[in-house]
Amino acid sequence: MMAPPTNTTASSEDLATDILAALDKSQPLLSSDAFPSATFVDLKAALDRLASREMVKYETIERQEALLEPEAEQIAANGSHEARVFEALRKAVEGLSVKELEEAIGDKNVVKIGQGKAFKEKWISKTKDGKFTAVADKINDTTQEQIKTVQQTKTHPDPKILADLKKRKLIRTQNIFSFKIHKGPKFALRIPEEATDLTADMIASGAWKTATFKPYNFKALGATQNGGALHPLNKVRQELRNIFFEMGFEEMPTDKFVESGFWNFDALFVPQQHPARDLQDTFYISDPKAADFPRADSPDDTKDYQAYWDNVKAVHQDGKYGSIGYRYPWSGDESLRLVLRTHTTAISANMLHKLAATKGPDGRPLPARYFSIDRVFRNETVDATHLAEFHQVEGVIADYGLTLGGLMEFMEIFFGKMGLHDLQFKPAYNPYTEPSMEIFAYHKGLGKLVEIGNSGMFRAEMLESMGLPKDMRVFGWGLSLERPTMIKYGISNIRELLGHKVDLEFVQGSPAVLLGQE
């Protein structure tokens, strides 16, 4: 193999010429031998330039080199820690104490590490008066020999020894790339001039007939644009919105992160002593602490909020509409406490209350379908599957003659559009739905049933307090947005999906999602 050319420069254009000259004298050519001072970037650029013209062919060779850490360089020069301890004790015939040994060697760390290994190799022993003394006639400093081999060859023939030295942090490894270069079918010592455009002058003069045109490189990557990217949650959210719109739903306004206890709990027939209303489960607002009395939010709103307030109080405290209630002294002050909403069902209650005031051709409220996808807050311990805030997906259907069987059938259709089939239902308890069901589906990737949502039929105590007719039924169901997103993108820790630990490269590179497809 030839020696490196003396005129090699950092310029890839000059380097390309040097490669052709070296290749003309000897091939194949190893870049590590011929151009040891050239950088990988310059070599790759020069070779790609020549290869695009079919002047050379090359293949990339990858190898791993072992490099000595500073401690290993000291061992190569002075011997291993254990050998230095032995040598110091061999010279001191009567033995040395720890302090004397440290003074003799001049490095406490060498003494600390070396004496243990020297004992293990049975090179030294301890006398009755506590001194160390050499007991072996001679030793073989294997560690120094191993490190010198690595120093000279950048590797070691025994992979186990390399692994051991790396584990002891005496060496580090790095990948080295080089190129094996051959002549191409259009090899020449000079790079032909290539035209990049067909100009009017070339056509007029006829120069285009003999000109060499630069070929298009269809494999070249375009410049990175660093454009914005939708978060995976937003991608899944949009897919779910499309499913709801396809099924005739209307999106509810969800811009109220702060709600009163009335809408978040009491209107949903959640008793004021329920554990969900404790401080350890709910975030309460400290300033201001209380909301205003429920009132109209637009001039067109003519509903009687006082009557609704009284109905909610009565159904909790004394019972109404065929229910015996919870039989406790209901507190208006507790109902007006401000909270960060714990679910978007507070919005559903408000929308159903507005629905009660509408009149169809028959004088009754019109059937309706509502949905929402937005953020809710729970005072939960943060772990791999729980955050203090997450996104809730909720759907509500209000109509006449609805049954539990109809809810189960609709869940099969709805979740089927998300690619989830063969659902299973389990009875559950919710304060504002009866009957209530947890929904499970078999997940092929996980190989087990996973809970995908909760559902039920809203209670009469909740609906009739709003003024909805007795024969109107309401389906309600919900799921978190994070659960299907984590499953779809193979994420095991929710903190990698939402929060300050999110990898922006993951957001940038996350593919589009189609929920109904694998």
Side-chain angles (χ1 to χ4, degrees), residues 120-355:
K120 186 178 179 181
E121 296 291 339
K122 298 181 180 179
W123 294 350
I124 65 173
S125 65
K126 201 170 187 179
T127 62
K128 292 181 179 179
D129 56 358
K131 290 187 175 183
F132 298 113
T133 182
V135 294
D137 295 329
K138 62 179 181 177
I139 63 168
N140 182 22
D141 193 351
T142 307
T143 302
Q144 186 186 40
E145 291 175 357
Q146 293 170 350
I147 287 176
K148 281 187 173 181
T149 300
V150 173
Q151 188 180 45
Q152 294 165 4
T153 64
K154 305 296 185 184
T155 187
H156 196 283
D158 190 341
K160 291 183 179 179
I161 291 175
L162 272 179
D164 180 60
L165 293 175
K166 190 174 182 180
K167 184 178 179 182
R168 292 165 61 184
K169 298 182 180 179
L170 294 174
I171 65 168
R172 66 183 186 277
T173 57
Q174 65 178 16
N175 290 332
I176 302 296
F177 295 89
S178 59
F179 303 99
K180 189 175 184 180
I181 312 165
H182 303 263
K183 291 180 179 179
K186 296 182 180 179
F187 176 81
L189 288 176
R190 292 185 60 189
I191 302 174
E193 292 185 8
E194 293 180 329
T196 56
D197 293 302
L198 179 64
T199 65
D201 291 340
M202 293 172 69
I203 295 174
S205 65
W208 64 271
K209 296 178 181 178
T210 57
T212 301
F213 290 94
K214 184 177 181 180
Y216 282 106
N217 182 5
F218 293 104
K219 295 182 180 179
L221 297 176
T224 302
Q225 299 303 309
N226 296 321
L230 286 176
H231 191 282
L233 281 173
N234 281 335
K235 294 178 182 179
V236 176
R237 180 179 184 272
Q238 187 57 46
E239 279 294 304
L240 287 168
R241 291 180 78 238
N242 291 341
I243 291 174
F244 277 114
F245 287 136
E246 177 187 327
M247 301 182 78
F249 282 75
E250 174 189 345
E251 190 165 15
M252 295 185 279
T254 56
D255 53 351
K256 293 181 180 179
F257 283 179
V258 177
E259 286 282 4
S260 67
F262 178 80
W263 290 111
N264 198 77
F265 296 118
D266 294 291
L268 302 177
F269 199 52
V270 178
Q272 294 182 345
Q273 300 84 6
H274 195 278
R277 301 178 75 150
D278 291 342
L279 286 171
Q280 61 263 33
D281 291 308
T282 299
F283 291 110
Y284 284 88
I285 306 300
S286 59
D287 186 21
K289 291 186 176 181
D292 294 336
F293 188 84
R295 63 176 189 272
D297 53 9
S298 69
D300 300 332
D301 190 349
T302 59
K303 296 186 290 298
D304 187 347
Y305 283 90
Q306 182 63 55
Y308 184 32
W309 175 275
D310 293 339
N311 288 341
V312 170
K313 177 181 179 179
V315 80
H316 277 257
Q317 184 169 286
D318 306 310
K320 200 173 182 180
Y321 312 113
S323 169
I324 63 173
Y326 291 117
R327 300 184 183 182
Y328 69 93
W330 187 82
S331 169
D333 291 339
E334 178 68 24
S335 187
L336 293 178
R337 291 181 70 185
L338 285 170
V339 301
L340 287 177
R341 67 180 180 206
T342 60
H343 46 199
T344 53
T345 316
I347 306 296
S348 302
N350 199 305
M351 292 297 292
L352 290 172
H353 181 234
K354 291 179 180 178
L355 178 67

Side-chain angles (χ1 to χ4, degrees), residues 28-160:
L29 195 67
L30 286 177
S31 63
S32 56
D33 295 333
F35 308 100
S37 60
T39 66
F40 173 84
V41 174
D42 287 338
L43 270 171
K44 186 75 166 60
L47 288 172
D48 284 343
R49 184 182 179 208
L50 295 173
S52 67
R53 294 164 171 79
E54 299 184 23
M55 299 180 74
V56 302
K57 295 183 292 182
Y58 72 91
E59 55 189 273
T60 304
I61 301 172
E62 180 181 359
R63 72 179 190 279
Q64 196 174 68
E65 281 190 355
L67 303 176
L68 300 188
E69 297 288 4
E71 184 181 353
E73 290 176 354
Q74 291 183 6
I75 292 175
N78 305 316
S80 65
H81 301 329
E82 55 269 31
R84 291 174 66 183
V85 167
F86 171 81
E87 190 62 28
L89 294 175
R90 187 183 64 80
K91 292 178 180 179
V93 181
E94 296 180 357
L96 297 172
S97 65
V98 174
K99 187 176 181 180
E100 291 170 338
L101 188 57
E102 290 173 353
E103 291 174 353
I105 294 177
D107 191 328
K108 291 183 178 181
N109 191 51
V110 170
V111 174
K112 182 180 178 181
I113 298 173
Q115 64 171 309
K117 292 187 177 179
F119 270 118
K120 186 178 179 181
E121 296 291 339
K122 298 181 180 179
W123 294 350
I124 65 173
S125 65
K126 201 170 187 179
T127 62
K128 292 181 179 179
D129 56 358
K131 290 187 175 183
F132 298 113
T133 182
V135 294
D137 295 329
K138 62 179 181 177
I139 63 168
N140 182 22
D141 193 351
T142 307
T143 302
Q144 186 186 40
E145 291 175 357
Q146 293 170 350
I147 287 176
K148 281 187 173 181
T149 300
V150 173
Q151 188 180 45
Q152 294 165 4
T153 64
K154 305 296 185 184
T155 187
H156 196 283
D158 190 341
K160 291 183 179 179

